[in-house]
Amino acid sequence: MTESKKPLVLVVDDMPRNLQILSTLLDNEGFDITFANNGKQAIEVAQSAEPDLILLDVMMPEMNGFEACRIMKSMDATKDIPIIFITGRSNTEDIVEGFKSGAVDYVTKPFNTVEMVSRIRTHLELKFSKDIVIASNKKLEEYRNELEQVIRSKDKFFSIIAHDLRGPFSGFIGLTSMLMEDFEELGKEDIVQISGSLNSSAKHLYELLENLLDWSRSQMGKMDYNPINTDLYQNVTKVFSLLEAKSKEKNISLETSITINTYAYADNNMLNTILRNLISNAIKFTYSGGKISIDSVASDDFVKVSVADTGTGMTEDAMEKIFRIDTKYTTPGTNEEKGTGLGLILCKELVEKQGGEISVSSELDKGTIFTFTLPVPR
């Protein structure tokens, strides 16, 4: 049966002498035992104790064994417990009635001790085998659902690649064709404009490829995770320097109230990817002359980092979609900048991989605040 615990048997009989005999027998055979002396009490005990098997007397006052059995077989909590009837009545009608009410076996008094124990063990083995099959089927169903989710994510991933790579490459092809075919006719201003467009497309394509690579490594479990006590101030200022040109282009100020020697326990590469995507996203949706501010608050277990902007804000519907791969959501920025739709999904993956959480709050035309947590220094 099981090595981890002794099987629990519920013995139901209104005669104390019978309870004593069955108790001694079962105890000597290594079973745990619980008792009830009538049908109503048997139902209550079966629900609370969840026995592995029930030995149920047929002839009891108020509620006989047949009725108690039918009631237990109609209840979710007790319907799968095997019930063996024990009775002095051995006519065919009673035996048939016992099986119709849901019992798995029928033993007549006076019973043979060896036979009784053998029947109990047989039905317990059958029950435990059935439990294993049910648990295995449940696990297989969970695996199937997980596999379907992986397949959906993979299909979405390839859909993102196909859709988002087509745009930048189409731009490249069109602009380079123009340079190649009309170079002699193009003036200096035309060439400067085309060069700027090529540079913008190149940056967008690089951002997309960088996020796609990080996200695919994360999905395959191949992204290195090396957490250390890292200085948030240094990470923020490093990302600020990377995005300074982009923010100055839109006249957006980058500010932080995080001071030097403010630490979190995090992987530097993952943290920089999170900050880069959140700050880049904030620049994209903030109007010229706006502000982006980075703050942090430490608690006993986590450091909470917030990235706030004074941009366009988001609707409730948008906030529900931005972290989901199955409903890719992207809109153009305040200067019609294009997005990949993958940056925020990647942020969620990397924050959760480090034991934190990410959330968003926003108000249309007033701005957005992304907040994520990281473990405190160790």
Side-chain angles (χ1 to χ4, degrees):
M1 283 162 275
T2 65
E3 296 181 0
S4 57
K5 71 180 187 70
K6 294 192 291 184
L8 176 63
V9 178
L10 168 60
V11 181
V12 186
D13 200 308
D14 62 328
M15 301 294 291
R17 175 62 179 164
N18 292 339
L19 290 176
Q20 183 180 5
I21 293 171
L22 288 169
S23 173
T24 301
L25 171 64
L26 296 173
D27 184 61
N28 290 338
E29 292 295 327
F31 297 111
D32 283 333
I33 312 146
T34 186
F35 304 98
N37 54 30
N38 59 64
K40 183 178 179 182
Q41 188 181 39
I43 296 169
E44 294 173 354
V45 174
Q47 286 182 286
S48 60
E50 298 182 351
D52 297 302
L53 183 139
I54 299 173
L55 295 177
L56 181 59
D57 186 32
V58 172
M59 299 304 296
M60 294 182 293
E62 297 183 22
M63 181 187 294
N64 64 33
F66 296 142
E67 185 177 354
C69 182
R70 280 191 290 269
I71 292 173
M72 285 188 281
K73 289 299 173 182
S74 69
M75 303 169 72
D76 287 338
T78 55
K79 65 181 181 180
D80 295 322
I81 302 173
I83 297 174
I84 299 176
F85 278 121
I86 302 177
T87 180
R89 301 170 62 176
S90 59
N91 58 70
T92 303
E93 291 78 7
D94 285 332
I95 295 175
V96 171
E97 179 67 19
F99 284 118
K100 281 185 176 180
S101 66
V104 297
D105 212 338
Y106 200 102
V107 179
T108 56
K109 301 175 184 177
F111 55 80
N112 179 283
T113 300
V114 176
E115 179 189 0
M116 170 67 81
V117 172
S118 178
R119 287 174 184 253
I120 291 173
R121 290 190 180 279
T122 296
H123 289 294
L124 283 172
E125 291 287 358
L126 289 171
K127 179 186 183 296
F128 294 148
S129 297
K130 181 181 177 182
D131 290 345
I132 291 171
V133 171
I134 292 172
S136 298
N137 287 338
K138 184 179 179 182
K139 201 68 179 176
L140 285 172
E141 181 66 18
E142 292 174 0
Y143 288 148
R144 186 181 70 84
N145 292 334
E146 289 175 7
L147 181 59
E148 287 180 352
Q149 180 60 41
V150 168
I151 293 171
R152 283 194 296 269
S153 296
K154 181 204 69 173
D155 291 344
K156 191 67 179 180
F157 176 66
F158 286 121
S159 173
I160 290 171
I161 293 176
H163 178 271
D164 287 349
L165 289 182
R166 187 182 297 116
F169 274 116
S170 295
F172 261 109
I173 293 169
L175 291 168
T176 53
S177 295
M178 186 184 300
L179 280 173
M180 183 177 66
E181 295 169 5
D182 304 326
F183 184 79
E184 297 296 335
E185 301 173 10
L186 294 172
K188 183 178 179 180
E189 290 185 4
D190 295 326
I191 294 174
V192 169
Q193 184 178 354
I194 292 173
S195 298
S197 297
L198 283 170
N199 182 259
S200 178
S201 294
K203 288 178 178 177
H204 175 64
L205 185 59
Y206 180 78
E207 180 185 354
L208 171 62
L209 291 174
E210 199 170 35
N211 281 339
L212 285 173
L213 182 60
D214 285 341
W215 188 80
S216 63
R217 283 204 304 252
S218 172
Q219 294 301 298
M220 293 185 292
K222 293 184 177 180
M223 178 173 277
D224 291 336
Y225 176 49
N226 301 302
I228 60 171
N229 290 337
T230 186
D231 191 323
L232 286 175
Y233 174 80
Q234 290 183 3
N235 282 274
V236 169
T237 53
K238 179 180 179 181
V239 175
F240 275 1
S241 66
L242 289 173
L243 299 174
E244 185 178 11
K246 186 185 289 188
S247 64
K248 283 184 175 180
E249 190 179 306
K250 294 184 71 172
N251 190 29
I252 295 170
S253 63
L254 301 177
E255 303 175 1
T256 181
S257 64
I258 299 175
T259 58
I260 196 166
N261 296 327
T262 301
Y263 288 93
Y265 189 68
D267 180 284
N268 264 327
N269 290 331
M270 290 185 181
L271 176 56
N272 286 332
T273 300
I274 294 164
L275 290 169
R276 172 174 54 80
N277 274 285
L278 291 180
I279 297 171
S280 178
N281 190 74
I283 293 172
K284 175 183 170 184
F285 289 104
T286 299
Y287 296 105
S288 177
K291 182 177 71 173
I292 296 168
S293 54
I294 318 296
D295 303 304
S296 70
V297 178
S299 64
D300 291 339
D301 299 314
F302 291 95
V303 178
K304 182 166 67 175
V305 181
S306 61
V307 178
D309 64 55
T310 57
T312 58
M314 283 185 283
T315 63
E316 290 288 338
D317 181 61
M319 285 189 281
E320 290 177 2
K321 293 178 179 178
I322 55 175
F323 293 121
R324 293 171 53 188
I325 187 68
D326 60 329
T327 57
K328 183 199 169 197
Y329 181 86
T330 181
T331 57
T334 53
N335 282 358
E336 297 301 314
E337 302 101 319
K338 294 180 180 179
T340 68
L342 193 60
L344 295 177
I345 296 170
L346 178 61
C347 286
K348 184 175 186 293
E349 295 267 355
L350 298 185
V351 168
E352 292 179 351
K353 188 175 182 66
Q354 299 182 92
E357 296 178 348
I358 189 169
S359 60
V360 60
S361 61
S362 186
E363 192 172 349
L364 280 175
D365 298 322
K366 291 190 177 181
T368 300
I369 302 174
F370 281 94
T371 303
F372 66 94
T373 58
L374 294 170
V376 295
R378 296 185 182 180

